[in-house]
Short mmCIF file of all heavy atoms in Angstrom, two decimals:
data_model
loop_
_atom_site.label_atom_id
_atom_site.label_comp_id
_atom_site.label_asym_id
_atom_site.label_seq_id
_atom_site.Cartn_x
_atom_site.Cartn_y
_atom_site.Cartn_z
N GLU J 1 33.69 -22.22 12.71
CA GLU J 1 33.09 -21.42 13.77
C GLU J 1 31.93 -20.55 13.24
O GLU J 1 30.87 -20.47 13.88
CB GLU J 1 34.15 -20.53 14.41
CG GLU J 1 33.65 -19.71 15.60
CD GLU J 1 34.74 -18.85 16.25
OE1 GLU J 1 35.90 -18.93 15.76
OE2 GLU J 1 34.42 -18.14 17.18
N GLN J 2 32.14 -19.94 12.10
CA GLN J 2 31.09 -19.13 11.49
C GLN J 2 29.90 -19.99 11.10
O GLN J 2 28.74 -19.58 11.30
CB GLN J 2 31.64 -18.40 10.26
CG GLN J 2 32.58 -17.24 10.54
CD GLN J 2 33.20 -16.70 9.27
OE1 GLN J 2 33.59 -17.45 8.38
NE2 GLN J 2 33.27 -15.40 9.19
N TYR J 3 30.14 -21.17 10.58
CA TYR J 3 29.07 -22.03 10.16
C TYR J 3 28.25 -22.51 11.37
O TYR J 3 27.01 -22.59 11.31
CB TYR J 3 29.60 -23.23 9.37
CG TYR J 3 28.49 -24.02 8.69
CD1 TYR J 3 27.99 -23.61 7.46
CD2 TYR J 3 27.96 -25.16 9.29
CE1 TYR J 3 26.96 -24.34 6.85
CE2 TYR J 3 26.94 -25.88 8.69
CZ TYR J 3 26.44 -25.45 7.46
OH TYR J 3 25.42 -26.15 6.87
N THR J 4 28.95 -22.83 12.45
CA THR J 4 28.24 -23.20 13.71
C THR J 4 27.38 -22.06 14.19
O THR J 4 26.24 -22.28 14.62
CB THR J 4 29.24 -23.61 14.80
OG1 THR J 4 29.98 -24.74 14.33
CG2 THR J 4 28.56 -23.97 16.09
N HIS J 5 27.89 -20.84 14.07
CA HIS J 5 27.12 -19.67 14.51
C HIS J 5 25.89 -19.51 13.59
O HIS J 5 24.77 -19.17 14.08
CB HIS J 5 27.97 -18.43 14.49
CG HIS J 5 27.28 -17.22 15.06
ND1 HIS J 5 26.79 -17.18 16.34
CD2 HIS J 5 27.00 -15.99 14.53
CE1 HIS J 5 26.24 -16.01 16.59
NE2 HIS J 5 26.34 -15.26 15.47
N PHE J 6 26.04 -19.72 12.31
CA PHE J 6 24.95 -19.68 11.36
C PHE J 6 23.83 -20.64 11.77
O PHE J 6 22.65 -20.29 11.85
CB PHE J 6 25.39 -20.01 9.94
CG PHE J 6 24.31 -20.30 9.00
CD1 PHE J 6 23.52 -19.31 8.46
CD2 PHE J 6 24.05 -21.62 8.61
CE1 PHE J 6 22.49 -19.58 7.57
CE2 PHE J 6 23.05 -21.91 7.72
CZ PHE J 6 22.25 -20.89 7.20
N GLN J 7 24.22 -21.88 12.09
CA GLN J 7 23.23 -22.87 12.50
C GLN J 7 22.53 -22.48 13.78
O GLN J 7 21.30 -22.66 13.92
CB GLN J 7 23.92 -24.24 12.67
CG GLN J 7 24.40 -24.85 11.35
CD GLN J 7 25.11 -26.15 11.55
OE1 GLN J 7 25.99 -26.26 12.40
NE2 GLN J 7 24.76 -27.12 10.75
N CYS J 8 23.29 -21.90 14.73
CA CYS J 8 22.68 -21.44 15.98
C CYS J 8 21.70 -20.31 15.74
O CYS J 8 20.62 -20.26 16.37
CB CYS J 8 23.78 -20.95 16.98
SG CYS J 8 24.76 -22.30 17.66
N MET J 9 22.01 -19.42 14.83
CA MET J 9 21.10 -18.32 14.51
C MET J 9 19.81 -18.84 13.90
O MET J 9 18.70 -18.41 14.25
CB MET J 9 21.77 -17.32 13.56
CG MET J 9 22.85 -16.52 14.20
SD MET J 9 23.34 -15.13 13.12
CE MET J 9 21.86 -14.10 13.25
N ILE J 10 19.92 -19.78 12.95
CA ILE J 10 18.74 -20.34 12.35
C ILE J 10 17.88 -21.07 13.38
O ILE J 10 16.67 -20.94 13.41
CB ILE J 10 19.13 -21.30 11.17
CG1 ILE J 10 19.81 -20.52 10.05
CG2 ILE J 10 17.90 -22.02 10.67
CD1 ILE J 10 19.00 -19.38 9.47
N ASP J 11 18.55 -21.83 14.26
CA ASP J 11 17.83 -22.53 15.33
C ASP J 11 17.06 -21.52 16.21
O ASP J 11 15.93 -21.78 16.62
CB ASP J 11 18.78 -23.33 16.22
CG ASP J 11 19.33 -24.57 15.50
OD1 ASP J 11 18.74 -24.95 14.47
OD2 ASP J 11 20.32 -25.11 15.98
N HIS J 12 17.67 -20.38 16.48
CA HIS J 12 17.00 -19.34 17.26
C HIS J 12 15.78 -18.81 16.55
O HIS J 12 14.69 -18.71 17.17
CB HIS J 12 17.98 -18.18 17.53
CG HIS J 12 17.28 -16.92 17.99
ND1 HIS J 12 16.81 -16.75 19.26
CD2 HIS J 12 16.88 -15.83 17.30
CE1 HIS J 12 16.19 -15.60 19.37
NE2 HIS J 12 16.23 -14.97 18.18
N PHE J 13 15.89 -18.49 15.25
CA PHE J 13 14.74 -17.98 14.56
C PHE J 13 13.62 -19.00 14.45
O PHE J 13 12.45 -18.63 14.52
CB PHE J 13 15.17 -17.49 13.14
CG PHE J 13 15.70 -16.09 13.11
CD1 PHE J 13 17.06 -15.88 13.19
CD2 PHE J 13 14.85 -15.00 13.02
CE1 PHE J 13 17.57 -14.58 13.18
CE2 PHE J 13 15.36 -13.73 13.00
CZ PHE J 13 16.72 -13.48 13.08
N ILE J 14 13.97 -20.25 14.31
CA ILE J 14 12.96 -21.34 14.30
C ILE J 14 12.25 -21.41 15.64
O ILE J 14 11.00 -21.46 15.72
CB ILE J 14 13.56 -22.65 13.90
CG1 ILE J 14 14.03 -22.66 12.42
CG2 ILE J 14 12.56 -23.81 14.14
CD1 ILE J 14 14.84 -23.87 12.01
N ALA J 15 13.05 -21.44 16.71
CA ALA J 15 12.47 -21.59 18.05
C ALA J 15 11.68 -20.39 18.47
O ALA J 15 10.68 -20.50 19.22
CB ALA J 15 13.58 -21.87 19.07
N CYS J 16 12.07 -19.21 18.06
CA CYS J 16 11.44 -17.93 18.47
C CYS J 16 10.63 -17.31 17.35
O CYS J 16 10.43 -16.09 17.32
CB CYS J 16 12.49 -16.97 18.99
SG CYS J 16 13.48 -17.60 20.33
N ARG J 17 10.14 -18.10 16.43
CA ARG J 17 9.45 -17.61 15.23
C ARG J 17 8.33 -16.64 15.55
O ARG J 17 8.10 -15.65 14.84
CB ARG J 17 8.95 -18.79 14.44
CG ARG J 17 8.22 -18.40 13.15
CD ARG J 17 7.89 -19.66 12.34
NE ARG J 17 7.11 -19.30 11.16
CZ ARG J 17 5.82 -19.32 11.08
NH1 ARG J 17 5.07 -19.68 12.13
NH2 ARG J 17 5.19 -18.97 9.95
N LYS J 18 7.59 -16.88 16.61
CA LYS J 18 6.43 -16.05 16.94
C LYS J 18 6.81 -14.63 17.35
O LYS J 18 5.97 -13.73 17.38
CB LYS J 18 5.61 -16.70 18.05
CG LYS J 18 4.91 -17.96 17.58
CD LYS J 18 4.04 -18.55 18.67
CE LYS J 18 3.32 -19.80 18.19
NZ LYS J 18 2.49 -20.44 19.22
N LEU J 19 8.08 -14.41 17.69
CA LEU J 19 8.53 -13.07 18.05
C LEU J 19 8.73 -12.17 16.83
O LEU J 19 8.76 -10.94 16.96
CB LEU J 19 9.88 -13.13 18.78
CG LEU J 19 9.91 -13.75 20.17
CD1 LEU J 19 11.33 -13.82 20.68
CD2 LEU J 19 9.02 -12.97 21.12
N TYR J 20 8.84 -12.77 15.63
CA TYR J 20 9.25 -12.02 14.45
C TYR J 20 8.08 -11.83 13.47
O TYR J 20 7.18 -12.64 13.41
CB TYR J 20 10.41 -12.75 13.76
CG TYR J 20 11.64 -12.79 14.62
CD1 TYR J 20 11.94 -13.89 15.38
CD2 TYR J 20 12.49 -11.68 14.67
CE1 TYR J 20 13.09 -13.92 16.20
CE2 TYR J 20 13.63 -11.71 15.47
CZ TYR J 20 13.91 -12.82 16.22
OH TYR J 20 15.03 -12.83 17.01
N SER J 21 8.18 -10.78 12.70
CA SER J 21 7.18 -10.51 11.65
C SER J 21 7.83 -9.79 10.48
O SER J 21 8.95 -9.30 10.60
CB SER J 21 5.99 -9.73 12.21
OG SER J 21 6.43 -8.45 12.66
N TYR J 22 7.09 -9.74 9.39
CA TYR J 22 7.58 -9.06 8.18
C TYR J 22 7.41 -7.56 8.37
O TYR J 22 6.45 -7.07 8.91
CB TYR J 22 6.75 -9.54 7.01
CG TYR J 22 7.31 -9.14 5.66
CD1 TYR J 22 8.29 -9.90 5.04
CD2 TYR J 22 6.86 -7.99 4.99
CE1 TYR J 22 8.79 -9.55 3.79
CE2 TYR J 22 7.36 -7.62 3.78
CZ TYR J 22 8.34 -8.42 3.17
OH TYR J 22 8.86 -8.05 1.95
N SER J 23 8.38 -6.79 7.85
CA SER J 23 8.35 -5.34 8.00
C SER J 23 7.92 -4.69 6.71
O SER J 23 8.73 -4.50 5.79
CB SER J 23 9.73 -4.82 8.42
OG SER J 23 9.76 -3.41 8.45
N LEU J 24 6.65 -4.30 6.61
CA LEU J 24 6.18 -3.58 5.42
C LEU J 24 6.88 -2.25 5.27
O LEU J 24 7.23 -1.85 4.16
CB LEU J 24 4.66 -3.38 5.49
CG LEU J 24 3.81 -4.67 5.37
CD1 LEU J 24 2.34 -4.36 5.60
CD2 LEU J 24 4.04 -5.32 4.02
#
């Protein structure tokens, strides 16, 4: 269950990459 959640989280970050940025 945890591993499936990990994969879902990574899929989210890939799909929504433009929402995120590096925090100086």
